Amino acid sequence: MTVTTLQPRSFMEAVREVGQYRTEAEAEAVTHTVLLALAAHLPATERTELTPLLPTDATLSSPLAPRPLTAREFVESVALHIENATPATARWHVTSVLTALAQELGAAQTARLLAQLPPGYALLFGLADLAAVA
């Protein structure tokens, strides 16, 4: 994945538009929370390549999550870090940020990122989950 073209400013504008946030500060706060949580679930190579967009406290030395979270658990974990968030509002925030991220990365890079996550995350990235049902 090559992310040298990622621009933090345009990404933040995309988050604000997708999430319909009233202020840039609101979009930035939500983005920080969601990307910090996402970084804890990505291997170092993916974190390195997303560095232009990740919060500065999502360093390569940050510990990985102890276990992979399902998409639902991921949303619930993000809700714990957003003031007055309900599961529904947390899902909105997560989906807004990750949809903007998918738009910024493009299809191939998003597919590579999704391959690092448990099944079920595609919907959070604004994409159809095409996993086969067994």
Side-chain angles (χ1 to χ4, degrees):
M1 181 180 349
T2 304
V3 294
T4 56
T5 61
L6 296 181
Q7 300 296 319
R9 187 86 251 132
S10 65
F11 172 64
M12 196 57 57
E13 290 168 6
V15 170
R16 187 171 176 194
E17 182 179 311
V18 171
Q20 301 175 1
Y21 297 108
R22 285 185 225 125
T23 67
E24 188 171 313
E26 183 181 14
E28 286 176 1
V30 167
T31 300
H32 178 273
T33 301
V34 172
L35 292 183
L36 188 61
L38 179 66
H41 295 281
L42 298 176
T45 55
E46 299 299 328
R47 285 195 228 179
T48 299
E49 293 173 356
L50 289 176
T51 296
L53 300 180
L54 293 176
T56 55
D57 43 350
T59 65
L60 292 177
S61 61
S62 298
L64 285 175
R67 67 175 181 83
L69 297 179
T70 66
R72 180 179 179 177
E73 291 170 330
F74 181 78
V75 169
E76 291 169 352
S77 74
V78 168
L80 297 174
H81 300 285
I82 298 177
E83 188 176 342
N84 298 321
T86 65
T89 59
R91 184 172 176 86
W92 176 266
H93 295 314
V94 168
T95 301
S96 296
V97 172
L98 297 183
T99 296
L101 181 61
Q103 292 170 354
E104 189 77 15
L105 294 177
Q109 292 174 317
T110 300
R112 182 173 166 189
L113 184 64
L114 284 169
Q116 303 297 318
L117 299 167
Y121 276 74
L123 294 173
L124 298 177
F125 282 79
L127 303 169
D129 191 347
L130 301 177
V133 177

